[in-house]
Amino acid sequence: MIRSPFKFLDPFGPLDSKVFFGRSAEIDELYAQIFRTPLLLVYGLTGTGKTSLIDCGLRNRFDGTDWLPFYVRRKDDLNEALHELLRKALPDDKPRDLTETVGYLYRYFLRPVYLIFDQFEELFILGSKEEQEAFKRNLKNLLEANLTCKVILIMREEYIGWLYDFERDIPSIFDFRLRVETMKRKNVEEVIQKSCSCFNITLENPEKNIEQIYDNVSEGKAVVQLPYLQVYLDTLYRNDLQRSYPTGAPHSDEQPFPPLVFTSEEIAQCGHISGVLEQFLRDKVSELQAGMLHKYPTLPADAVKTILNSFVTEQGTKRPLPYQLVDNQVQFLFPPEVLQDFESGFINDTVRLLEQNRILRDSGETFELAHDTLAHKIHENRSEEEKRRGEIRARLLTALKEYQDSGTLLNAVQIARLEEWLPVLRVSKAEEDFIAASREEVEAQRIKERQEAEKERLRLEAERAHKRARLFSYITSAVAIVAIGIGVFAWEQQQKAVAAEANAIKEKSRAEAVRDKIYFYRDRFGLAYDKAKQKYGFIDKNLHTKIPFKYNEAYRFEDLGYAQVSIHDQNAEEELTYYLIDTFGHEYKLATELVQLDSTITALDLSSKKLNEIPAEVFNYPGLKILFLTKNRLTKLPGEIGKLSQLIYLDLGENHMKRFQPELGTLKQLQILDLRDNSIPTSQISWLQQQLPQCKIVVKKDPS
């Protein structure tokens, strides 16, 4: 049976150099850069072919004696995976640390050692803080040892911001980097044309057919993902092979590929790539589910889909699952809980069939999805309930880890959110004990609060009883005097009532007049002053308090929902501490000068400072949530902005910016980004909105 020569979702490897097209310029740049630095960062969007560029493009630029490459994947722990991989290459079992091992390998093989960490983002998605810190130490020691060794980190662009934590210990981590861009249209057309020529395929109308294929794969977008192109060409090939040779295709050693013709009609019938990939997954899952039911009749209707989902993280990335063979059967070392009710034979059979159908890939130690593209598509097809359940599961695991590290239990709100999902979540014994301990702590806290409330109630009741007794004594003593002066008293009370009514009318008129003069932010919040307390607060139009009267100074809310306030510092009677508050009353401690920055500052206002660039020290405070840089002279936004991962509001309005680094797209907490009165291309802003769908991007002043 003739297999399709197209890669489908497999990366190009060292034997594919003759059919690896469209990346000559990137291979040349990569080859040149690797000789300039011991540490190279290769990054790009998913589907740009980063792995193929290294394993096929770069690898074929070296002779066998020019390098000694080690391709490292995380598995369960990146440091252990690296140690085990290098240990297998050693001629002896003598214990050595990483630098000693790398140095010994160079002396033994007399070839430069290349450590290539593919899908490096897995360290941050799946790894613990301890694992990340250990890898950081290992990498720092390796670079400081100045060995004949090169390190290449390959990762998806959207996770590059997580590397800024490494920069303090490894300042050179961003010095040499290569962004793998999506292919230009002419390069994609080159791939189609040259691939067809290599595989004995004729295009019925070359110019039209190449345009058809490009349009069907791009689906109107400006870029084409290379895996999608390979999937599409693979589908066309298999369809045409079946149509042209229903009883078997001719081939020979001289020409292993039978002649085929891709017609305009056939390409049109194939449709768009989203439908092709969707149909492929749906057909394979249905086909495998039906086949498995014959052998395992009691299977749930979504059994195969459940196994497939196990290879995808809650973030929609690949999750490698390490395994061992027991009696020639696949047995996962750390199986996800959703698989624990399935028979081991069913899991083994399904995994093997998924591998045969090129959905899973077997590295010999782990099974994983053939490409991130599949992970994205599977995640995309999850129901909202499945996604929510995954998020709850991830939060529970994070909370459990924090409890194990610091003893922090779940609070009442967290437990309430978790309760509705517990019937559909499989929880481990450790998680069950953690939840039970949290419930006990919350209940103990509630009992304590009730007891304190009861004590306070009894105290107040006793106080009221004492006051009533004293009042009764006063009344008894004064009853005679009251009787004598009742006429005078009645007259005085009448006069007081008249005065009180007049005063109330006057106060109401004054309050209405004050209210009418107050600026109400979005018709909701007005700045007000309490003369009795001598404090500022915020009220609504019915004069109800919305934010308590506790501020010594306060200013009205600005357009985008923040007001500046201040409170006397308790430790320094004459000094004020400044804050920004939002309409929920959340306070953000404010600095307006760099010298005021410390770890407690969460808002920084550097507006109108005539800055040509953002001061480097700003990026040393990752706890910042609000950053004002409006009315300066900024022309660009540096990549270090990715360090400020907690930002919720960033104001860059009224500058001279023409571009920004992609790291801005990693600020997943960002809620408002003000880009008013800059010169940033619309295409960049559209790309940024795709990266930050939760963020409101302001590009021109709101006329309201």
Side-chain angles (χ1 to χ4, degrees):
M1 179 179 177
I2 296 174
R3 286 176 60 91
S4 166
F6 292 101
K7 300 302 292 183
F8 194 67
L9 291 170
D10 296 328
F12 287 85
L15 301 179
D16 298 318
S17 60
K18 293 182 179 179
V19 294
F20 186 51
F21 306 118
R23 285 298 192 191
S24 300
E26 289 84 353
I27 295 170
D28 291 342
E29 184 179 353
L30 181 61
Y31 187 69
Q33 282 221 44
I34 198 64
F35 288 104
R36 298 169 56 202
T37 175
L39 176 62
L40 177 63
L41 173 63
V42 178
Y43 68 101
L45 297 173
T46 185
T48 51
K50 301 179 290 294
T51 301
S52 298
L53 189 64
I54 302 289
D55 198 26
C56 182
L58 180 64
R59 187 169 189 150
N60 281 289
R61 292 295 296 269
F62 288 100
D63 290 331
T65 57
D66 288 343
W67 73 335
L68 183 64
F70 293 91
Y71 291 85
V72 190
R73 285 290 303 279
R74 178 182 172 271
K75 300 179 184 175
D76 294 322
D77 184 286
L78 187 59
N79 304 287
E80 293 176 4
L82 174 60
H83 173 77
E84 182 63 19
L85 185 64
L86 298 182
R87 186 192 64 77
K88 290 179 179 178
L90 293 169
D92 58 45
D93 294 327
K94 182 180 177 181
R96 300 177 178 88
D97 64 21
L98 179 60
T99 55
E100 290 172 337
T101 299
V102 171
Y104 185 84
L105 286 170
Y106 171 69
R107 294 190 301 272
Y108 185 81
F109 289 100
L110 296 178
R111 286 186 278 167
V113 176
Y114 282 72
L115 302 180
I116 302 166
F117 294 90
D118 195 10
Q119 303 199 30
F120 187 63
E121 67 273 6
E122 291 177 347
L123 175 63
F124 304 101
I125 297 173
L126 303 172
S128 64
K129 187 66 175 175
E130 292 78 10
E131 181 185 344
Q132 295 164 21
E133 290 297 321
F135 181 82
K136 189 197 304 180
R137 289 192 299 272
N138 284 332
L139 182 57
K140 181 181 179 183
N141 294 338
L142 192 62
L143 295 172
E144 290 177 347
N146 199 27
L147 301 170
T148 308
C149 174
K150 307 283 188 181
V151 177
I152 302 176
L153 306 178
I154 310 170
M155 66 187 303
R156 285 167 56 175
E157 182 174 288
E158 55 265 45
Y159 296 102
I160 196 173
W162 292 356
L163 279 180
Y164 287 113
D165 187 46
F166 279 43
E167 193 175 19
R168 184 176 300 174
D169 296 304
I170 308 170
S172 63
I173 196 162
F174 293 111
D175 287 357
F176 292 89
R177 54 183 176 175
L178 173 66
R179 184 176 190 265
V180 183
E181 305 281 352
T182 52
M183 271 193 183
K184 296 180 174 63
R185 181 165 185 143
K186 67 176 184 178
N187 298 96
V188 175
E189 291 174 351
E190 176 192 343
V191 172
I192 298 171
Q193 186 177 19
K194 290 186 175 180
S195 296
C196 288
S197 177
C198 273
F199 302 140
N200 203 16
I201 301 167
T202 301
L203 295 173
E204 179 186 51
N205 184 336
E207 186 175 343
K208 176 184 177 182
N209 297 154
I210 289 175
E211 184 176 358
Q212 275 184 292
I213 294 171
Y214 184 92
D215 290 344
N216 283 351
V217 177
S218 67
E219 295 187 310
K221 298 176 183 175
V223 298
V224 165
Q225 291 194 36
L226 295 185
Y228 282 1
L229 179 60
Q230 289 294 317
V231 167
Y232 198 83
L233 292 173
D234 175 86
T235 303
L236 277 175
Y237 189 93
R238 288 185 290 105
N239 290 346
D240 195 69
L241 185 68
Q242 179 63 32
R243 179 183 61 80
S244 302
Y245 305 102
T247 59
H251 63 282
S252 64
D253 293 338
E254 293 78 19
Q255 179 50 271
F257 306 114
L260 294 176
V261 178
F262 287 174
T263 67
S264 302
E265 181 183 359
E266 189 176 17
I267 297 169
Q269 288 176 349
C270 192
H272 291 98
I273 183 60
S274 57
V276 169
L277 200 55
E278 186 89 30
Q279 190 63 44
F280 169 78
L281 275 175
R282 189 163 48 244
D283 289 349
K284 290 303 176 185
V285 169
S286 298
E287 177 186 319
L288 295 180
Q289 179 74 24
M292 287 296 165
L293 279 172
H294 290 294
K295 189 173 182 180
Y296 304 97
T298 60
L299 281 179
D302 61 348
V304 173
K305 181 182 176 183
T306 300
I307 288 186
L308 207 50
N309 261 310
S310 301
F311 290 92
V312 183
T313 67
E314 284 72 25
Q315 294 83 10
T317 61
K318 294 194 297 184
R319 176 189 281 124
L321 294 181
Y323 75 92
Q324 62 183 357
L325 290 178
V326 178
D327 297 330
N328 208 31
Q329 295 259 314
V330 172
Q331 184 179 87
F332 291 121
L333 298 177
F334 308 100
E337 281 132 6
V338 293
L339 302 186
Q340 292 178 5
D341 287 338
F342 291 134
E343 294 181 38
S344 59
F346 164 69
I347 294 175
N348 174 79
D349 294 348
T350 304
V351 167
R352 290 300 189 192
L353 286 171
L354 288 170
E355 179 197 8
Q356 290 174 24
N357 284 277
R358 299 189 289 178
I359 296 173
L360 293 183
R361 185 182 300 136
D362 180 9
S363 71
E365 296 177 329
T366 63
F367 276 101
E368 66 175 352
L369 289 168
H371 198 272
D372 278 326
T373 301
L374 279 178
H376 176 74
K377 182 59 69 176
I378 292 168
H379 181 68
E380 194 177 78
N381 287 337
R382 285 171 171 165
S383 67
E384 288 304 315
E385 182 179 344
E386 289 174 322
K387 291 177 181 177
R388 181 67 177 148
R389 188 164 62 234
E391 291 172 5
I392 296 294
R393 153 67 53 200
R395 287 181 186 176
L396 177 58
L397 291 174
T398 301
L400 175 60
K401 182 66 170 61
E402 185 177 350
Y403 167 68
Q404 292 168 340
D405 291 342
S406 64
T408 303
L409 292 163
L410 297 169
N411 59 37
V413 173
Q414 290 172 314
I415 291 175
R417 289 174 179 168
L418 185 61
E419 290 288 0
E420 64 175 305
W421 292 96
L422 284 179
V424 294
L425 286 180
R426 292 181 58 97
V427 294
S428 65
K429 182 65 167 61
E431 291 165 344
E432 190 176 316
D433 293 343
F434 169 54
I435 294 169
S438 298
R439 283 175 175 150
E440 290 176 5
E441 176 66 20
V442 167
E443 184 57 30
Q445 185 64 31
R446 285 174 177 161
I447 291 172
K448 182 180 177 182
E449 290 172 357
R450 285 196 294 266
Q451 290 173 341
E452 290 177 351
E454 180 64 14
K455 283 182 182 178
E456 180 65 11
R457 187 188 67 78
L458 292 173
R459 185 189 68 78
L460 291 173
E461 189 173 307
E463 188 176 291
R464 284 194 294 269
H466 180 65
K467 287 181 178 179
R468 285 195 298 270
R470 289 173 60 191
L471 180 60
F472 181 75
S473 174
Y474 293 152
I475 292 172
T476 303
S477 302
V479 66
I481 299 172
V482 172
I484 295 170
I486 193 168
V488 176
F489 177 77
W491 180 83
E492 288 178 347
Q493 288 298 106
Q494 182 182 14
Q495 295 302 309
K496 286 181 181 179
V498 171
E501 183 178 357
N503 188 55
I505 294 171
K506 181 179 178 182
E507 285 297 311
K508 182 177 179 182
S509 299
R510 185 190 64 80
E512 291 292 334
V514 170
R515 188 191 68 182
D516 289 341
K517 293 175 183 177
I518 292 174
Y519 170 85
F520 280 87
Y521 168 72
R522 294 193 177 174
D523 211 38
R524 292 169 56 207
F525 292 90
L527 177 63
Y529 182 73
D530 188 320
K531 287 184 178 180
K533 296 180 179 179
Q534 295 187 331
K535 301 286 185 183
Y536 288 92
F538 293 85
I539 60 175
D540 62 17
K541 284 201 167 183
N542 295 317
L543 304 181
H544 297 145
T545 300
K546 303 302 290 186
I547 297 176
F549 289 79
K550 62 177 182 177
Y551 300 109
N552 297 87
E553 293 181 357
Y555 301 88
R556 70 186 193 183
F557 277 96
E558 298 298 337
D559 290 345
L560 288 170
Y562 292 93
Q564 183 174 321
V565 298
S566 64
I567 302 176
H568 271 306
D569 189 333
Q570 295 178 351
N571 299 319
E573 192 171 311
E574 296 301 318
E575 291 186 14
L576 291 172
T577 302
Y578 290 89
Y579 296 89
L580 291 179
I581 61 171
D582 59 22
T583 55
F584 296 100
H586 299 146
E587 295 176 344
Y588 305 91
K589 191 175 179 182
L590 176 66
T592 56
E593 300 291 342
L594 293 174
V595 294
Q596 298 171 340
L597 281 173
D598 61 38
S599 59
T600 66
I601 297 295
T602 52
L604 176 61
D605 187 355
L606 296 179
S607 300
S608 304
K609 300 285 187 183
K610 300 181 180 179
L611 298 174
N612 294 313
E613 60 182 14
I614 302 175
E617 50 263 50
V618 171
F619 304 115
N620 295 329
Y621 295 89
L624 285 174
K625 293 181 177 292
I626 299 172
L627 179 57
F628 294 104
L629 293 163
T630 187
K631 297 182 180 178
N632 281 296
R633 301 169 180 171
L634 304 177
T635 58
K636 63 180 181 179
L637 193 64
E640 287 82 357
I641 193 68
K643 290 183 177 181
L644 305 182
S645 58
Q646 300 301 309
L647 280 180
I648 60 174
Y649 179 87
L650 176 59
D651 190 345
L652 296 165
E654 299 181 60
N655 278 284
H656 309 293
M657 291 182 54
K658 296 181 179 179
R659 61 188 177 89
F660 51 76
Q661 294 295 325
E663 288 81 358
L664 182 60
T666 67
L667 302 181
K668 302 302 183 184
Q669 303 298 319
L670 201 59
Q671 298 172 14
I672 298 176
L673 172 61
D674 194 336
L675 296 174
R676 289 176 293 114
D677 298 328
N678 284 283
S679 303
I680 299 171
T682 304
S683 58
Q684 283 202 18
I685 294 175
S686 298
W687 174 86
L688 186 62
Q689 191 67 79
Q690 291 178 354
Q691 305 305 307
L692 303 174
Q694 80 292 345
C695 180
K696 176 183 179 181
I697 300 178
V698 181
V699 293
K700 59 183 178 180
K701 191 172 182 66
D702 190 342
S704 63

